[in-house]
Amino acid sequence: MLTKAFQPLLLLVLVFISSLHSSSKHANAYPLSTRSRWIIDDSTNSRVKLVCGNWAGHLQPMIPEGLDRRPIRELVGELVKNNFNCVRLTYAIYMWTRHGNRIVNDTLNDLDLPEVVNGISKFNPSVLKMTHIEAFDAVVNEIGSQNVKVLFDNHVSEPKWCCDDDDENGFFHDRHFDPREWIHGLTLAAKHFHENHAVVAMSLRNELHGPRQNQRDWYKYMSKGALAIHETNPNVLVVISGLNYDTELQFLKKKPMNIDLGKKMVYETHLYSWSGIGTLKLKEIWTKQPLNRICGNSIEGLDERAGFLTTGENAVPLIFSEFGFDQSGSTIEDNRFLTCLQTYLVGRDLDWGLWAFHGGYYLREDKVHLDESFGVVDATWHSLRNTNFTHKFQLLQRKNQDPTSKHSNEYIMYHPLTGQCAQVNKNKEIEIGRCEKQKRWSYDGSQIFLSDSRKCLSASGEGLPVSVSDDCESKNSSWKTASLSKLHLSTVDKDGKEVCLHKDSNSSVVVSSKCICIHDDSLCLDDPMSQWFQLVATNV
């Protein structure tokens, strides 16, 4: 038993250890800065890749969704378990400027949501007595305690579901978008989280839209908003969105945003299967045109509208902060769109945010407990909605490029349809499996060599397994990218026929097979995704 003389010393030691533990939790959280197109952790000088789940808190109840389903700690634990290191946490400006002192329980009662009140009283009872801002604090603090970062996203001004062109919430000087109140709200939020190290980034506005859109006001007010955040909280990244539901930033080619945010300026872009690129506006386009063409055009359009920001002397980071798909897997258009978009995100190793993490809503468009079919977690908030999610997203969630790395580029052979990567089995055949066990490759524009060996990828014949071989001079060991999507790897077999890598749904082994729709034929509507293989550069 300790004597009284030693008890104060022990208390000091315990407090010191506790503070070290608390600091270690946040060691990699704050602050972040930019270096060319990359986001850098200032404490380690290495790249941070933000892999975010969108978590809605901007609707009428003005608290993050799901607090009536599970304790906050467990909700954040689902993010950690599923390999997210970031939350894009959405909020409404009016929460800060008009409802900051309003009590959560009062709001829920006014909205006539007894089921929600009962659920919160069971799992997070203290939240009911909090103000809305205090409820956000509770969620942000738990996110930070589990070493997850927060991108605090201004989604709307008026608390509601977003977005429609006529929602009066879409652009400056709309009924619910007074620029002065908006800047005041941004400033209040930036000041409030000034000392909270979990909040590493703040966005200006989600998906500007509607008939009032114009570039003159965009430059004027987005500059003012960005500077207001930066001057109030110079530690956070400032995330700047574009026009037309955040699909357009191409006007920056002619007129860059001329403001000084230090090393804190980041841009964001969004895309869904229905938003399309250029004239490609209909969701059905993914089933009514050749898929290689539509994917190739979409990737070109993404680079034209936003991706160009990550290249050249004045490159800046670009976060693909919203994309999503029906996680039930039943929507062909969404499945095709997602697989194509995966190749873009992986190929450029972009930071990103998936819509959505949450499984449903307290209240959305007058419907109580509406399910979110795009949610990572299901309506129970306990299970993955898409059982294949972990496989599908494994390489997207991995950091493949680091500007501080001293290693030269090698390649991972990636199969986006499954989300898996190439391995070599005991028979020297190529098969598809989990990406942490993937092999590395080099590619000289013709031969694809297994790294650290002189063995190369070789095709034996149509329908036969592709393997690694010592015979690297034959025609069937020479590979090129094919089709408008540039996602086919083709060679010729021993009979001189052009064949492509192919992953059959009934086997993990990769074979060579007749190429599917690699020529731009409007009548060729077969699905080529089983033959999409991508050489993804990595130096980590």
Side-chain angles (χ1 to χ4, degrees), residues 359-371:
Y361 301 89
Y362 308 118
L363 178 68
R364 173 180 154 183
E365 299 172 299
D366 298 326
K367 296 178 181 177
V368 178
H369 281 152
L370 184 68
D371 189 26

Side-chain angles (χ1 to χ4, degrees), residues 31-45:
L32 306 179
S33 61
T34 65
R35 182 184 304 168
S36 183
R37 60 153 293 191
W38 309 107
I39 295 172
I40 302 295
D41 184 336
D42 289 345
S43 66
T44 63
N45 200 38

